[in-house]
């Protein structure tokens, strides 16, 4: 659906959100390189969109690009200095599937985001 939205409205003001959701879908399907590509596109549209920075961080770790993931994680913490995984997992984590939630949390922890 995100790909169709991008084709139908390539100049939409919400491209950053469509790319983030596309990255999230790729992440859930294990297509980590594609998730990173979508996350980078979202970041180019809106660099301070923290929902995307979380997905991009996890995708980078999953793709084996830890140094980049740590850098994006640091950017996230500059924008959201009170971010911590305990609160995020309890209140805002976007996945219902327990396996995806667990993996996503592990990837964010591996990038150095605070517990």
């Amino acid at each position: 659906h995100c790909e169709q939205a991008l084709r139908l409205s390539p100049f939409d003001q919400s491209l950053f959100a469509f790319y983030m959701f596309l990255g999230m879908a790729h992440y859930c399907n294990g297509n980590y390189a594609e998730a990173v590509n979508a996350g980078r596109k979202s970041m180019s549209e809106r660099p301070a969109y923290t929902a995307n920075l979380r997905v991009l961080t996890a995708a980078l770790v999953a793709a084996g690009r830890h140094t980049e993931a740590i850098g994006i994680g640091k950017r996230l913490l500059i924008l959201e200095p009170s971010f911590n995984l305990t609160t995020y997992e309890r209140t805002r984590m976007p996945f219902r599937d327990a396996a995806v939630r667990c993996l996503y949390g592990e990837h964010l922890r591996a990038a150095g985001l605070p517990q």
Side-chain angles (χ1 to χ4, degrees), residues 12-25:
D12 197 295
Q13 292 181 353
S14 297
L15 285 178
F16 67 95
F18 294 133
Y19 283 125
M20 186 276 300
F21 285 120
L22 181 60
M24 189 180 288

Side-chain angles (χ1 to χ4, degrees), residues 9 21 28 54 59-60 62 67 70 75 79 81 85-86 92 98 103 105:
S9 188
F21 285 120
C28 289
R54 289 188 293 271
L60 285 164
T67 303
I70 290 168
R75 181 182 291 182
L79 296 167
L85 288 164
T86 302
R92 296 188 294 157
L103 187 62

Side-chain angles (χ1 to χ4, degrees), residues 14-51:
S14 297
L15 285 178
F16 67 95
F18 294 133
Y19 283 125
M20 186 276 300
F21 285 120
L22 181 60
M24 189 180 288
H26 282 302
Y27 177 86
C28 289
N29 286 318
N31 302 325
Y32 302 125
E34 290 300 318
V36 169
N37 289 338
R40 293 252 182 243
K41 289 177 183 177
S42 177
M43 194 168 67
S44 74
E45 293 290 328
R46 184 156 301 171
Y49 185 40
T50 57

Side-chain angles (χ1 to χ4, degrees), residues 77-109:
L77 292 175
I78 289 169
L79 296 167
E80 273 187 36
S82 64
F83 178 86
N84 68 75
L85 288 164
T86 302
T87 303
Y88 178 67
E89 290 171 340
R90 195 180 60 228
T91 62
R92 296 188 294 157
M93 188 177 278
F95 307 107
R96 290 185 187 179
D97 182 279
V100 173
R101 287 177 65 88
C102 183
L103 187 62
Y104 189 67
E106 288 174 18
H107 287 150
L108 293 175
R109 277 181 198 77

